[in-house]
Amino acid sequence: MRRMTPEIGWAVRGACRASDPELFFPLTQSAEQEARAKAVCARCPVLTDCRAYAVRSGEPEGIWGGLTVRERRGLRFPAGWRRPAAG
């Protein structure tokens, strides 16, 4: 029997498991598609785990934990996180 990596063991309980992966990883993203994916995430029992994983690992694509790439990037690098270089 295959063991899951403990870090993402929560994924087997995700609401997205029964959804088409293209909903979360579309070739062309639209506001409608994003809203549909986020609606699945909103009812997910592991939303917090999924979001934390995606932010921590810097997931470069898709909607994870109800957040787009841009939204996750905003959590990792909030406005003003860099200080101006001394000089």
Side-chain angles (χ1 to χ4, degrees):
M1 187 162 132
R2 228 172 108 198
R3 284 186 56 168
M4 295 205 68
T5 304
E7 184 175 359
I8 61 169
W10 49 263
V12 298
R13 298 187 321 273
C16 60
R17 298 272 301 168
S19 300
D20 182 348
E22 287 190 31
L23 179 61
F24 301 92
F25 299 94
L27 294 176
T28 305
Q29 195 164 332
S30 70
E32 178 186 337
Q33 168 274 329
E34 183 179 306
R36 287 183 18 235
K38 287 183 173 189
V40 172
C41 293
R43 67 175 195 271
C44 185
V46 295
L47 177 118
T48 303
D49 294 321
C50 180
R51 181 175 292 176
Y53 167 78
V55 171
R56 184 175 57 252
S57 67
E59 255 321 311
E61 296 180 10
I63 294 177
W64 289 75
L67 300 175
T68 63
V69 173
R70 178 173 281 155
E71 292 165 335
R72 291 192 305 273
R73 191 173 294 130
L75 290 176
R76 290 182 74 209
F77 306 106
W81 73 278
R82 285 188 187 189
R83 286 187 264 171

